Amino acid sequence: MSPARYAALRLVAAVRGRTRRWAASPPALDVIAAVSCFSLMVLDVPGLARADNSLTGFTATLVLAAGASTLVLRRRAPWVPYAVALGLLGWLHELTLIQFALYSLGRFRGRAAAVVATAGYVVVAYALFLLPGWPAYRADSLSSFLGLVLPIGVLAAGVGIAAYRQDLVRELQAERARTAAVEAVQNERISVARDVHDLVGRELTVLAVRAEVLAARARGGAHQKDFEELADTARRAHLMLNDTLVHRADERTATPGLDGLAALAAESGAMGSPVVLRIADAAYALSPLRQAAVYRVVQECLTNAAKHAPGERVTVAIGLDGARLRVVVRNPLPAAAPLTEPVSSGTGTFSMRERVASMGGELAAGPDADVWEVVAVLPAGRPPAAP
């Protein structure tokens, strides 16, 4: 492919992408509403040109186009097209723009504005009804007139209010989803902090005790003071760990490591989802914090499998690939949806991803052919030194 053709294709793709994004934007939708309204009003141009209103077909088209163009302001200033629509209602007996204007008020300003605007529209229309010559074919009675005019305004405003309420519901649902995701991340960070406290705090305690033992053995020797300072430093570090990482009211044990996966697998099998564990021997030499991260990931995966693919076999593979720890959990996708919708908060993946990210890793979850696969890759770190 020549450079010129490649550049042209890139330009076309860029223009197409920008056009697609613009077409879905609020300003584009406002323009589409204005064009749609004008297209409907143009159908009345022949009648307006024949009527006694000093307008030709060309000037009537210009007036209607100017009125419809005010709909581009329907989000920022919906009262502008509403006022123009009332003007066209009295001058040209045009009912199309008022429908768009009432819908816009209900859609973007809510119920109160729509009710006030609809009431104002009905009052203006009734006042015009009392004037001679409006509409050209006026109803024989007030009830007939209201049967024509009132439904137009009420229906347009009602649809707008319904759309406004739907927007509020969608925004509330989106906000709840964001809040749930943030809470899941925060809860997982708290869980990580607790694990750090339990695991690292235990090591600091052991260090302090050993230093005190060595200080006692070296009493009177050259290194007694050094061992005592080491023990004191370990105790201060443990205290700082308590104050900085965790402030908890309950006492929890640390998250289990790889040794706890067998119990998880047995529990999952008892619920009807058998589990096959494949754990490399080298993985057992990883630090307790990394093992806790793996445990949490596998725990969440088995829970999700039991919810969304009950009865399917789950395969868990944990191994080392150079300096990276790799965790792969797979289960077949169910042939049919469960009879009952599983109870789920929808935040499990956020928790897993936060746990892995806290260790400097990445997590991916999604379908792969006919199976659901979760892959977590994180630094293996250095194995703990032998005691």
Side-chain angles (χ1 to χ4, degrees):
M1 182 183 297
S2 65
R5 179 175 173 77
Y6 177 73
L9 290 176
R10 290 203 57 175
L11 178 61
V12 170
V15 171
R16 184 181 302 168
R18 287 180 176 270
T19 303
R20 187 181 296 112
R21 288 192 295 272
W22 181 84
S25 65
L29 296 177
D30 294 341
V31 171
I32 292 173
V35 172
S36 301
C37 180
F38 175 68
S39 300
L40 292 174
M41 290 195 297
V42 162
L43 300 177
D44 296 333
V45 168
L48 294 177
R50 290 194 302 268
D52 185 16
N53 51 29
S54 304
L55 291 178
T56 64
F58 176 72
T59 56
T61 301
L62 291 180
V63 169
L64 295 180
S69 66
T70 60
L71 287 173
V72 298
L73 303 174
R74 66 191 191 121
R75 294 173 192 269
R76 292 170 294 172
W79 292 103
V80 171
Y82 174 75
V84 173
L86 291 181
L88 290 181
L89 182 67
W91 179 23
L92 304 178
H93 314 153
E94 178 59 58
L95 292 172
T96 303
L97 182 58
I98 192 64
Q99 298 176 60
F100 280 81
L102 288 173
Y103 168 83
S104 300
L105 278 165
R107 176 75 169 75
F108 301 111
R109 290 298 182 269
R111 182 172 57 185
V115 170
V116 171
T118 303
Y121 156 70
V122 173
V123 169
V124 171
Y126 177 65
L128 294 172
F129 169 77
L130 298 178
L131 297 176
W134 192 95
Y137 303 97
R138 55 187 294 176
D140 295 330
S141 64
L142 177 61
S143 61
S144 300
F145 169 76
L146 293 178
L148 170 68
V149 173
L150 194 59
I152 292 176
V154 172
L155 181 61
V159 173
I161 293 171
Y164 177 79
R165 293 177 65 88
Q166 279 296 109
D167 281 349
L168 292 180
V169 170
R170 281 193 294 267
E171 290 177 5
L172 179 61
Q173 291 174 340
E175 183 62 30
R176 285 177 176 174
R178 287 192 293 268
T179 302
V182 170
E183 288 180 353
V185 170
Q186 290 176 342
N187 290 337
E188 193 60 31
R189 287 177 178 175
I190 293 173
S191 179
V192 170
R194 287 172 172 172
D195 289 340
V196 170
H197 171 273
D198 293 334
L199 297 169
V200 178
R202 182 181 59 192
E203 298 300 322
L204 288 173
T205 300
V206 172
L207 176 61
V209 172
R210 288 185 176 179
E212 288 173 352
V213 171
L214 292 175
R217 291 178 181 176
R219 185 170 293 129
H223 299 291
Q224 177 183 355
K225 185 177 180 180
D226 295 335
F227 288 129
E228 289 175 348
E229 289 179 353
L230 178 60
D232 188 53
T233 300
R235 282 192 294 270
R236 286 202 310 272
H238 197 182
L239 236 178
M240 292 172 60
L241 189 66
N242 287 338
D243 294 337
T244 305
L245 289 181
V246 179
H247 297 279
R248 54 184 180 168
D250 61 325
E251 290 296 327
R252 292 189 349 158
T253 58
T255 302
L258 299 183
D259 292 333
L261 294 181
L264 274 183
E267 181 182 348
S268 180
M271 291 189 297
S273 298
V275 179
V276 177
L277 286 176
R278 299 192 183 98
I279 305 176
D281 293 337
Y284 287 97
L286 295 175
S287 68
L289 282 178
R290 280 172 175 76
Q291 292 193 36
V294 173
Y295 180 91
R296 289 298 189 201
V297 170
V298 175
Q299 183 183 45
E300 183 62 33
C301 289
L302 295 183
T303 301
N304 290 340
K307 289 179 181 178
H308 303 286
E312 299 291 348
R313 181 182 296 272
V314 184
T315 302
V316 179
I318 303 170
L320 294 176
D321 183 10
R324 311 290 288 178
L325 170 64
R326 184 179 178 86
V327 182
V328 181
V329 183
R330 296 165 58 92
N331 63 267
L333 294 172
L339 296 179
T340 58
E341 186 70 19
V343 178
S344 176
S345 64
T347 59
T349 302
F350 288 105
S351 297
M352 287 192 296
R353 186 168 287 115
E354 178 64 22
R355 169 71 68 156
V356 173
S358 70
M359 307 297 296
E362 297 178 348
L363 182 139
D368 181 14
D370 57 348
V371 301
W372 183 267
E373 183 179 70
V374 177
V375 179
V377 180
L378 58 156
R382 303 178 66 180

